[in-house]
Amino acid sequence: MATDALLVVNAGSSSVKFQIFGLLEHEDPPRLIKGQVDGIGTRPRLRAETRDGSPLIDRSFAPDEIANVPAAIAVASDWLRETQSVELVAVGHRVVHGGPDYDRPVVVDQDVLARLERYSVLAPLHQPNNLAPIQSFISRRPELVQVACFDTAFHRTHSAVADRYAIPEHFYREGVRRYGFHGLSYEYIAGRLRDVAPSIATERVIVAHLGSGASMCALAGGTSVESTMGFTALDGLPMGTRPGQIDPGVLLYMISQEGMTPAAVENLLYRESGLKGLSGISNDMRELEASDAPGAALAIDYFVYRVGLNAGLLAAALGGLDAFVFTAGVGENSIRIRARVAKKLAWLGAIFDAAANETGKSLISRPEGKVGLYVVPTDEELMIARHTFSLLRGRPRG
């Protein structure tokens, strides 16, 4: 007998990550399966494992068998149904940009999908790929409830001042505003702090989501009041291939003096900058940390410097600081980056505990410090499953 389940999808340009969650009426949806299809269109490969890490499948395909994201969704869905006795009743999707229309997760229909497609120009690396699986399921399984969970929604609590750019008001009314991203991660961390560190969960906290995409968020009482990202996912911290903060005059110079087209500038900003552009080596922090090349050292120095600068900005927005949280790939796994960033926070009152950091403790600061330093793994997929389950419960079952 097939088990009713939720599918959580996080789709990129060449990969689709998915997780299967069970349905329990009064508890968190339990994670059952974790998998991904990567190498789409070049060397497609489907891998999946159980929640305890036991492998379920590791299969390669010809490029034309999985040539695009919809084909990847179809292959993964068929495998789940045929081999895992899973009957999907709903699908939750990470959608990077909700624009001004959506401040919470929403059940998707064609009208909602059409609205979300308008924001593809604001997140060209993410939005089209996030929406492709939704359209695929509408075509193949129209009876499924689909829920879009937005990376921008958590930041819609920002004040009018924090939300604006200093440009004419009509642009704001048209949707040109500071949205912020990685909201699903920050929402999870804000809730998780109530268990991990209840004494600071309602205080002034900076969360640093440090990964290939990187940003920081200021939480006051568990609510987002400021973020380093703005209108698009380009602003703030340097990232794997994105520059972070840059003077708009540089972009005008590229167009007017270098003769670059808008498409060329977009490609530079989204794919050729950040750690990759600075180092000339890689966009992967692990490779840069392992390298002796001067470019790698420069890229790491720049990354740490900018995290420190933005910590000061967010602490000012909060009127002080009680705790700083590291999360995401680099934040959770790089002992060296955490140590270097922690030293940048000493002026705020943080006293770093090197031994706790090196042994994988959750608290990596000394008790006599004024600012607690924490490492808290994020779980965006569980956040999506929770939202999907919540909306599913509010709908009649067929």
Side-chain angles (χ1 to χ4, degrees):
M1 182 176 178
T3 302
D4 286 353
L6 304 176
L7 171 64
V8 169
V9 175
N10 186 349
S13 59
S14 61
S15 68
V16 174
K17 298 178 182 178
F18 64 90
Q19 295 192 22
I20 293 291
F21 290 82
L23 298 178
L24 295 177
E25 189 63 30
H26 302 294
E27 299 178 33
D28 253 354
R31 198 184 326 262
L32 305 178
I33 296 172
K34 179 179 181 181
Q36 67 180 46
V37 182
D38 53 25
I40 295 172
T42 54
R43 295 181 178 179
R45 182 183 179 191
L46 168 61
R47 289 175 288 170
E49 60 186 33
T50 63
R51 59 185 168 190
D52 64 2
S54 302
L56 291 171
I57 187 173
D58 188 342
R59 179 184 170 190
S60 297
F61 297 80
D64 60 350
E65 290 183 279
I66 304 181
N68 50 40
V69 168
I73 290 290
V75 168
S77 298
D78 290 344
W79 171 76
L80 287 166
R81 185 176 63 255
E82 294 167 4
T83 70
Q84 300 304 305
S85 298
V86 167
E87 184 60 39
L88 299 181
V89 297
V91 187
H93 301 267
R94 178 195 178 206
V95 177
V96 165
H97 218 302
D101 294 332
Y102 300 106
D103 61 358
R104 66 198 65 192
V106 62
V107 174
V108 182
D109 56 20
Q110 284 289 8
D111 178 63
V112 171
L113 184 59
R115 286 172 175 266
L116 296 178
E117 286 172 344
R118 299 204 310 258
Y119 307 131
S120 291
V121 294
L122 307 185
L125 276 189
H126 303 91
Q127 196 84 348
N129 298 310
N130 297 160
L131 301 183
I134 298 177
Q135 184 62 66
S136 179
F137 276 114
I138 288 176
S139 300
R140 298 179 72 245
R141 299 283 305 278
E143 79 284 1
L144 284 177
V145 175
Q146 296 197 77
V147 175
C149 301
F150 305 106
D151 264 338
T152 50
F154 184 67
H155 302 294
R156 294 297 300 278
T157 52
H158 290 182
S159 69
V161 170
D163 212 23
R164 278 168 165 75
Y165 292 104
I167 55 179
E169 180 69 11
H170 72 86
F171 288 106
Y172 180 82
R173 293 194 298 269
E174 294 167 11
V176 181
R177 57 188 70 179
R178 298 187 67 250
Y179 291 100
F181 297 87
H182 295 128
L184 291 163
S185 177
Y186 295 128
E187 184 180 9
Y188 176 82
I189 296 297
R192 185 76 180 116
L193 285 176
R194 292 194 290 266
D195 299 320
V196 174
S199 62
I200 59 98
T202 58
E203 301 301 324
R204 300 165 299 181
V205 180
I206 294 173
V207 183
H209 180 105
L210 307 181
S212 179
S215 70
M216 294 161 66
C217 173
L219 299 177
T223 299
S224 174
V225 299
E226 184 57 271
S227 169
T228 57
M229 280 184 169
F231 182 55
T232 69
L234 285 171
D235 202 6
L237 304 180
M239 292 161 262
T241 61
R242 286 168 274 170
Q245 182 183 10
I246 186 169
D247 183 341
V250 174
L251 311 183
L252 296 175
Y253 172 85
M254 291 175 176
I255 294 170
S256 64
Q257 302 301 313
E258 296 290 329
M260 295 177 68
T261 65
V265 173
E266 179 182 281
N267 184 68
L268 175 72
L269 295 178
Y270 278 100
R271 297 176 178 86
E272 301 297 332
S273 299
L275 299 179
K276 179 181 178 181
L278 271 176
S279 70
I281 296 171
S282 175
N283 64 334
D284 191 318
M285 184 63 78
R286 293 166 297 187
E287 293 184 23
L288 297 179
E289 287 190 290
S291 174
D292 294 327
L298 173 63
I300 294 172
D301 288 346
Y302 186 87
F303 181 80
V304 171
Y305 175 68
R306 288 289 166 176
V307 172
L309 280 183
N310 280 272
L313 179 151
L314 295 180
L318 289 167
L321 188 63
D322 299 300
F324 187 98
V325 178
F326 295 90
T327 194
V330 175
E332 294 171 26
N333 297 302
S334 177
I335 293 171
R336 290 168 59 188
I337 294 297
R338 288 199 302 265
R340 292 187 59 178
V341 170
K343 292 176 182 177
K344 294 283 186 183
L345 305 176
W347 69 278
L348 287 165
I351 301 177
F352 178 58
D353 186 332
N357 182 50
E358 292 175 5
T359 54
K361 303 293 186 186
S362 176
L363 177 64
I364 59 170
S365 58
R366 301 290 301 169
E368 60 267 27
K370 296 180 180 179
V371 173
L373 304 175
Y374 295 84
V375 182
V376 182
T378 192
D379 197 336
E380 294 162 297
E381 290 76 15
L382 178 57
M383 205 71 246
I384 295 170
R386 287 172 176 170
H387 286 310
T388 303
F389 185 43
S390 177
L391 287 178
L392 181 64
R393 283 189 301 184
R395 294 172 64 88
R397 295 289 293 275

